Amino acid sequence: MSKFSASDAAFSGFRLVRENLKTVAIWAGLMTVLSILSNTVAIQFFGPKLGAFLNYISDNSSPDPDELMRRMADLAPMMLWSLPYSLLVNGVIFAALNRLVLRHQDSRLAYLRLGMDEVRQAAVWLLASLVLMGVLFLGSALSGFLAGLGGPTGAFLALLCAVGSLGAMVYLAVRLSFASAATFETGRITLFRSLPETKGQFWPLLGAYLLAGVMSVIVILLIWMIVYAIGLVASGDFAATGKMMRADTSSLKAYFTPAGIVQALFSGVFSVLTTLIVFGPAPSIYRELKEGRAGGSADGGW
């Protein structure tokens, strides 16, 4: 069985960033533009409701469930609109990520395309999300049913079911983590057929993904600390710095301020960095394992 180093794999996303700075800068710029455009559309049609919802969340540490659901229902049309947008963006960015790792020489247009590879990536991510959400939903429903039985036994069984459903979701997420890379490589939507690729690799993969996730959080926090430090030096007021970094989405006039543009800029940078650091290990490990089974070696680059 081919093996890999979980610790080395966890840092493969950082290597992708370091070795492809120009590409990362282009992706970050594109994501910034898309963030501004999507926010503009959302504010144009849902600005007041979106602003009220965000203010309610930020001002209430324990929001009322009924009021929260009512405010979310007001934003349902925006959520429906954002679904195809998110699928399109995910399809493009994950196809680009797989192309960067698996076809590194195909670097024209900074690995960005808009074709069937992107459509297949959007489809496989939608299918994987539906499967994982389905597992969690079934577990929650069964847990609620068991809790309804009452008594210590019912509560204990409900707890076991909840923990089991979370464990099953994590297990499936890890086992299906090569679906995106396999889909890109084969040119066919591959979900459960990618399971053999992760057979016997669950714990190393889980360790690599957890470490990558932790490192991603650390990087984001460090960037925010630097930004807040700069804002604090410039304004001399910590509270004002916090407000400066939170864009006002109540109207387009309020959004298109230095704070709104800064927030959109960092949103694009964070999105690209998170994608590379958190999701970069999966195709990198996939490539390493495939080359190990084939007796090949890496050709220098990602």
Side-chain angles (χ1 to χ4, degrees):
M1 180 188 301
S2 298
K3 295 184 180 296
F4 66 95
S5 170
S7 57
D8 288 346
F11 288 92
S12 58
F14 288 93
R15 290 194 292 271
L16 287 172
V17 175
R18 186 187 69 228
E19 297 174 5
N20 301 276
L21 290 177
K22 181 179 178 181
T23 296
V24 172
I26 293 174
W27 290 6
L30 178 62
M31 291 301 296
T32 299
V33 172
L34 289 176
S35 177
I36 293 174
L37 290 177
S38 63
N39 286 339
T40 299
V41 173
I43 293 170
Q44 176 66 32
F45 294 99
F46 306 101
K49 293 180 180 179
L50 180 60
F53 175 77
L54 294 176
N55 289 332
Y56 180 76
I57 293 295
S58 62
D59 296 338
N60 294 273
S61 57
S62 300
D64 177 69
D66 293 335
E67 178 65 14
L68 185 63
M69 290 302 296
R70 186 187 69 79
R71 291 178 181 269
M72 290 181 65
D74 292 338
L75 295 174
M78 186 187 74
M79 296 177 184
L80 291 175
W81 166 82
S82 66
L83 178 60
Y85 166 79
S86 299
L87 284 175
L88 176 62
V89 172
N90 280 341
V92 171
I93 200 68
F94 281 103
L97 173 59
N98 283 298
R99 192 173 288 114
L100 173 65
V101 175
L102 302 177
R103 301 178 192 167
H104 186 68
Q105 302 306 318
D106 189 9
S107 60
R108 63 186 178 87
L109 300 177
Y111 300 95
L112 297 169
R113 310 283 194 279
L114 191 57
M116 288 307 300
D117 282 333
E118 286 68 27
V119 172
R120 283 188 288 267
Q121 287 297 310
V124 78
W125 276 98
L126 176 61
L127 291 174
S129 298
L130 290 175
V131 169
L132 298 177
M133 290 173 59
V135 170
L136 190 60
F137 175 78
L138 290 176
S140 299
L142 183 56
S143 179
F145 172 77
L146 293 173
L149 297 178
T153 302
F156 179 70
L157 291 175
L159 178 61
L160 283 180
C161 184
V163 173
S165 63
L166 285 174
M169 187 179 69
V170 171
Y171 178 78
L172 265 179
V174 172
R175 290 297 310 276
L176 294 174
S177 59
F178 287 173
S180 175
T183 295
F184 182 83
E185 184 184 51
T186 62
R188 300 190 304 272
I189 296 176
T190 304
L191 189 61
F192 292 111
R193 285 181 298 176
S194 68
L195 289 175
E197 302 291 342
T198 56
K199 185 178 180 181
Q201 304 285 357
F202 173 78
W203 292 111
L205 286 172
L206 179 62
Y209 298 156
L210 287 177
L211 183 56
V214 170
M215 295 306 298
S216 173
V217 172
I218 292 174
V219 169
I220 299 302
L221 289 177
L222 285 175
I223 294 176
W224 272 117
M225 288 174 63
I226 294 172
V227 173
Y228 267 93
I230 294 173
L232 185 60
V233 171
S235 65
D237 186 347
F238 188 81
T241 302
K243 292 180 180 178
M244 180 186 71
M245 293 307 300
R246 190 178 72 177
D248 188 344
T249 58
S250 59
S251 67
L252 289 176
K253 182 179 180 180
Y255 175 71
F256 280 102
T257 60
I261 300 302
V262 168
Q263 191 226 36
L265 173 62
F266 280 96
S267 175
V269 172
F270 289 163
S271 176
V272 172
L273 287 179
T274 300
T275 298
L276 288 169
I277 295 172
V278 175
F279 296 102
S284 300
I285 298 170
Y286 176 83
R287 176 187 174 183
E288 182 179 345
L289 293 177
K290 295 283 283 188
E291 289 177 342
R293 285 193 291 267
S297 59
D299 58 6
W302 290 92

